[in-house]
Amino acid sequence: MSENQEFKKFIEQLADVSEQNILKYMDKDFSVEYKEDKSPVTIVDKSTEEILRKMIEKEFPDHLIIGEEFGGSTDITDEYTWVLDPIDGTKSFIAGIPLFGTLIALLKDGKPFMGCINVPCQKERMIGVIGEETTLNGRVVRAKETGDISNAVLLTTCMNDAIKYFGDTFLSLQSRVAYTRTWGDCYGHLMVACGRADIMIDPELNLWDIAALMPCVVGSGASFYNFDGDCMGLEDQVFSSCKNLKADVLAVLKNQ
């Protein structure tokens, strides 16, 4: 078994265990706390990350780990670094909306190398590896090849946040597409990667929000980029889109 195959097998195990832990709390009562930035966190976020950390520490004791709930060194120059977001879309999870997911990424020499988007309630698991084709539940998927932005489906997590961050340029982009939906967080990027949507706009993200997305999106044939048109998967705002729409998206957002 190659090293890539070993890592993929282990990521599947991490996704299985995290899914089991999360689903046992669905439709149950649990307390919600709020961080300094006013974002919510639950016992489910924390316990899921703790479980994943213990599994990684046991299997790869020399690997670095960074997670949303318990942090870790931001010096990601080690050969291998795991980046965890136990529940991407905690607000959806709290509300019982099934479009949240667990993000598991493996960085190699500080760059996204392998990623998993696991959506427990939908039973959808996307795995991407740089240099390989992205799979959804084991089946190769491809992004759409939409060439006309007027036919595009635009996604974002929160309309208010997108307008606050991009201002009138987001409204301009919205006016050019076929329609806009808020099927957001990691699920929006999954939808672009598997050909269900055309553009996903995500402002103000952290490393654990982004690192797993890049291999999945790129391996589907879609573009994954920042405001400058490039992305190594570590920036604080990213866009996923069909390759044919990248230039149009950037031109509108830059008001060119």
Side-chain angles (χ1 to χ4, degrees):
M1 184 181 294
S2 69
E3 186 176 53
N4 278 14
Q5 290 173 323
E6 289 180 2
F7 283 138
K8 277 201 278 190
K9 181 179 179 181
F10 184 62
I11 276 185
E12 292 268 14
Q13 293 171 357
L14 293 174
D16 284 341
V17 172
S18 65
E19 181 173 307
Q20 291 168 8
N21 188 63
I22 291 168
L23 289 180
K24 72 183 183 183
Y25 287 95
M26 284 299 293
D27 300 321
K28 302 284 177 57
D29 291 330
F30 47 80
S31 61
V32 179
E33 302 172 5
Y34 290 88
K35 306 176 190 177
E36 290 185 7
D37 64 0
K38 297 186 172 25
S39 63
V41 62
T42 71
I43 187 175
V44 193
D45 298 80
K46 293 179 178 180
S47 64
T48 301
E49 184 172 320
E50 285 176 332
I51 291 168
L52 296 178
R53 282 176 174 271
K54 287 178 181 177
M55 290 178 67
I56 295 168
E57 288 166 354
K58 181 179 179 180
E59 189 74 16
F60 302 107
D62 296 330
H63 289 191
L64 191 67
I65 304 173
I66 300 172
E68 178 175 11
E69 307 310 334
F70 299 104
S73 173
T74 55
D75 179 7
I76 53 175
T77 56
D78 284 27
E79 182 178 12
Y80 290 113
T81 302
W82 294 88
V83 182
L84 308 172
D85 188 347
I87 300 181
D88 183 66
T90 299
K91 291 177 182 177
S92 293
F93 172 71
I94 292 169
I97 305 301
L99 305 184
F100 61 86
T102 298
L103 296 176
I104 304 167
L106 179 60
L107 309 187
K108 187 172 184 179
D109 299 324
K111 298 178 182 179
F113 161 64
M114 185 176 293
C116 174
I117 305 171
N118 194 61
V119 187
C121 295
Q122 302 297 95
K123 297 297 181 183
E124 292 187 306
R125 182 174 300 170
M126 180 170 280
I127 294 179
V129 183
I130 295 299
E132 298 183 14
E133 293 181 302
T134 294
T135 61
L136 180 65
N137 294 346
R139 177 178 59 86
V140 171
V141 290
R142 299 293 296 173
K144 292 200 288 187
E145 297 182 0
T146 305
D148 187 340
I149 197 168
S150 66
N151 295 324
V153 177
L154 169 65
L155 306 180
T156 192
T157 301
C158 175
M159 204 77 72
N160 288 342
D161 287 347
I163 294 170
K164 178 182 176 182
Y165 194 89
F166 296 108
D168 290 342
T169 58
F170 178 79
L171 296 176
S172 180
L173 178 63
Q174 189 179 13
S175 72
R176 284 166 166 76
V177 301
Y179 56 90
T180 306
R181 293 292 182 269
T182 51
W183 304 323
D185 297 308
C186 62
Y187 197 64
H189 295 278
L190 179 148
M191 294 186 77
V192 171
C194 68
R196 299 175 192 163
D198 303 283
I199 306 165
M200 172 64 186
I201 302 292
D202 238 344
E204 298 185 285
L205 299 182
N206 295 295
L207 172 62
W208 44 79
D209 299 308
I210 298 173
L213 302 177
M214 182 184 178
C216 293
V217 173
V218 171
S220 75
S223 293
F224 189 75
Y225 50 100
N226 60 14
F227 200 68
D228 296 320
D230 193 15
C231 190
M232 293 307 297
L234 308 176
E235 286 78 3
D236 65 356
Q237 41 85 13
V238 294
F239 317 129
S240 294
S241 75
C242 307
K243 280 189 175 180
N244 296 337
L245 297 178
K246 176 180 176 180
D248 288 336
V249 170
L250 288 174
V252 174
L253 291 179
K254 291 182 178 183
N255 199 23
Q256 295 177 342

